[in-house]
Amino acid sequence: MWRFAIKMLFGDSAKFYGILLGLGFASLLIAQQASIFVGLMSRTFAFIGEVGHVDLWVFDPTQSYVDEPKPLRATALERVRGVTGVEWAAPLYKGLLVATLPDGSRQVCDVIGIDDDTLAGGPAEIVAGSLADLRQPDAVMVEVGSSQQQLRFPEALPPGAVPAPGQSFDPKGPKRPVEVGDIIELNERRARVVGLVKCAETFVAAPTVYTVYSRAITYAPPSRRVMSAVLVTAVEGQDPDALAERIRAETGLAALKPHDYSMRTLGYWMSETGIPINFGIAIALGFFVGVAIAGQMFYNFTLDNLRYFGAFKAMGASTWKLLGMVALQALVAGVLGLGLGLGAVSAFGLNAAGGKLAFKMLWQIPLIAAGAVLVICILASVLSMWKVIRLDPADVFKSS
Amino acid sequence: MATATPTTSGAPTPAHATAIRLRGVTKTFGRGESAVTALRGIDLDIPAGELTMLVGPSGCGKTTLISILAGLLSRDGGDLAVFGTDLATLRRDRLAAWRRDNVGFIFQQFNLVPQLSVSENVSVPLVLKGESVGAAVRRADELLATLGLEGRGKSSPLKLSGGQQQRVAIARALIHDPRLLVCDEPTSALDAELGRRVMELIRGRSTRPDRAVVVVTHDDRIFHLADTIAHVNDGRIDQLTRRTSEPPTAGSHR
């Protein structure tokens, strides 16, 4: 009878496609919104991963997340270096500064200043130039994506050329990407582009500009506290957790492993913003849309077939057999609907890969979508099963 | 390969012995002031190897009666034995298995599943008994051929005429060679000629020794095909007519 159950499901094409679309749309909405949510949240701590291998981040204990640097005194670096178990400690600057372009337009940039000596904390991928070029006078490296979008130069100005005295450009005129050799101003100080880099998308939409620490603090407004964090590597064999505890005790600063700092940052965004609620609503909406559309369609499908189930019951099919048929129909519809939805989400994800859209489908997300679709199918089939259980086989003799 | 389910058939019944015996069978639907009494004490013997018709006005209790003797509905009172089995002693699942093994149904509305092919519809009783779909469909095709529906097995029932659909329904009722064939208004949707042919088919196939046919009908054009006509009125049998000159089977009527 299982084969007949499947044929009954596929045979009523209007309802079958309705059920499929309902379940597909529900799983699409659930998986897509969850993936965008995960992608977006991953960006909140993407910079921590971008910095590369360090054992500990040391920062102001009142700092909640990585993009909210609360500057430390310059002495913090030496104090951290003095803690037993620290192999090396490097300063890091991270701050939003205004860049001025030759056409007079201004753009807020996320300026990262990395250790002059070790260049630790630099970008993972360099598209043009080399990291050592940052040691040249006024050198900066610019994120390649922003060089094509936000930091655009007048087309009339050749790469590396300096505007002649009195020469001006129309800010709305034709533009070209920033290239190696171009000159910009950072906080009214000269900065020469020596390379292009690729960075992970972060929560801060501003273009990322890399330079060395000593130069970054000259771009930053004068202050006694300019250092955003200290990056620490432990001596070999040193337990990072124990070292973090020691740094906290001896310096009064916060010290966390990169993963823990990422979770602290994530926790801030999760608890202090409305993002989870908004995405949660979208995901719940997907679930309820699935229940409403697919559930109702499936229930109507069963109602339409009730007289045939009644005939089967009269002919000797047990109630369990009929319930099995309904469950199988729900399961098949669920699996196909889920496949449809996840397929669409995967296509969406592939299309979005490498773009600005935050999208990250963890392996747990298809499982969550599958669980949601299962619940939808159970809810839909329970109502249908109830009708089948209550079905009186003698009803088949009633004319309809 | 599917395993055949054990049958719940009773012992063979000699021809013209009593296939179904009803004594004082009562049935009431609802309770209190809204209660409706459908059967007020039915006494009836339905002989094996014969075709018995239940006739009477709408609401007289015919459908309730066939539902009870086919094991679809439980009685409130009285005694009922169908081929020697008291259906009240069977639990719900055993009763379903008993129906599966012993009863063939022809419904007024045919109840052919439109998503299944003609052969698949006919094969349902065999599949319910545990036969594989492939084997059951082959047997269904053979039976359909004998009913003049050769080559229509793969068609949708919706593409058949009313008469053809009725023959498919008959094939479905007969394919597992049931001991009791229950027909509800089998000719109501058919013209006179087709109705006659359908009834001859039913009669020819199932009025064999140790078989019984019960037909509920309003159609007086087919009354002449009955061996016995039980006139049901207000929940009672108020007249029993035998086609032959023999006296009615033992078991009185009210």
Side-chain angles (χ1 to χ4, degrees), chain A residues 154-195:
Chain A
E155 205 172 66
L157 187 66
V162 179
Q167 187 181 9
S168 63
F169 303 94
D170 179 7
K172 292 181 181 172
K175 301 284 179 66
R176 65 168 174 82
V178 168
E179 294 187 26
V180 173
D182 282 334
I183 306 293
I184 59 174
E185 285 183 12
L186 272 175
N187 215 9
E188 299 185 349
R189 291 178 66 87
R190 188 173 184 272
R192 188 166 54 88
V193 178
V194 296

Side-chain angles (χ1 to χ4, degrees), chain B residues 6 15 52-53 81 145 221:
Chain B
T52 301
M53 288 187 186
R221 297 170 304 180

Side-chain angles (χ1 to χ4, degrees), chain B residues 5-62:
Chain B
T5 310
T7 65
T8 54
S9 305
T13 310
H16 301 294
T18 300
I20 303 171
R21 182 187 298 275
L22 298 101
R23 291 290 180 271
V25 170
T26 58
K27 181 69 183 179
T28 300
F29 295 100
R31 287 181 182 173
E33 291 181 1
S34 63
V36 175
T37 301
L39 300 180
R40 297 174 186 277
I42 296 284
D43 292 338
L44 178 65
D45 287 339
I46 295 176
E50 290 193 1
L51 191 154
T52 301
M53 288 187 186
L54 302 177
V55 302
S58 296
C60 67
K62 303 188 297 291

Side-chain angles (χ1 to χ4, degrees), chain A residues 7 307 313-316 397, chain B residues 96 99-100 105 111 120 184:
Chain A
K7 284 200 80 171
R307 55 187 288 213
K313 206 168 188 174
M315 287 189 273
F397 284 133
Chain B
R99 286 198 305 268
R100 181 194 66 200
F105 292 94
N111 285 337
E120 288 167 337
D184 183 29

